[in-house]
Amino acid sequence: MSDLRLEGTIFEDLRKTFATVTDRMDTARRTLRGTDGTAVGEHQLVDAVHDFADDWGYGIKQLAKHTQDAVKMIDKIGKSFEKLDLDLAESLKTPKSAPKKGS
């Protein structure tokens, strides 16, 4: 390997963090979708609770989508970094010709 080093677990740690966020967002969205606003009684308040749940459900879905995109990007960056590291290591193995004296 070359001198170019980045802790190998950093990409996996980032991936786990973002994947966990995605899972938690999806759980929250499903919970909000199942909200029973009738428990609050008043018709207008029930409607407001359902609207709130719908709005937040949509927002959470969008956040989950973006965290999934972040996981894909982290995977891509990790693969690119690994390839760059291997290419650099390989280039260091190739002997370079020394410049000629007097030229």
Side-chain angles (χ1 to χ4, degrees), residues 18-85:
F18 277 89
T20 300
V21 168
T22 300
D23 292 342
R24 287 185 287 177
M25 290 291 185
D26 191 52
T27 299
R29 184 182 58 80
R30 284 192 312 260
T31 300
L32 280 172
R33 185 177 53 204
T35 300
D36 179 15
T38 59
V40 295
E42 169 61 37
H43 174 67
Q44 289 177 333
L45 191 52
V46 169
D47 289 343
V49 168
H50 286 155
D51 288 344
F52 173 82
D54 289 344
D55 289 347
W56 271 96
Y58 175 78
I60 289 172
K61 186 175 181 178
Q62 294 305 304
L63 287 171
K65 178 181 176 265
H66 292 301
T67 57
Q68 287 173 345
D69 291 344
V71 168
K72 289 176 188 174
M73 187 57 67
I74 290 166
D75 288 343
K76 185 176 180 178
I77 291 168
K79 288 176 185 174
S80 295
F81 183 83
E82 185 177 319
K83 182 184 179 323
L84 177 64
D85 191 35

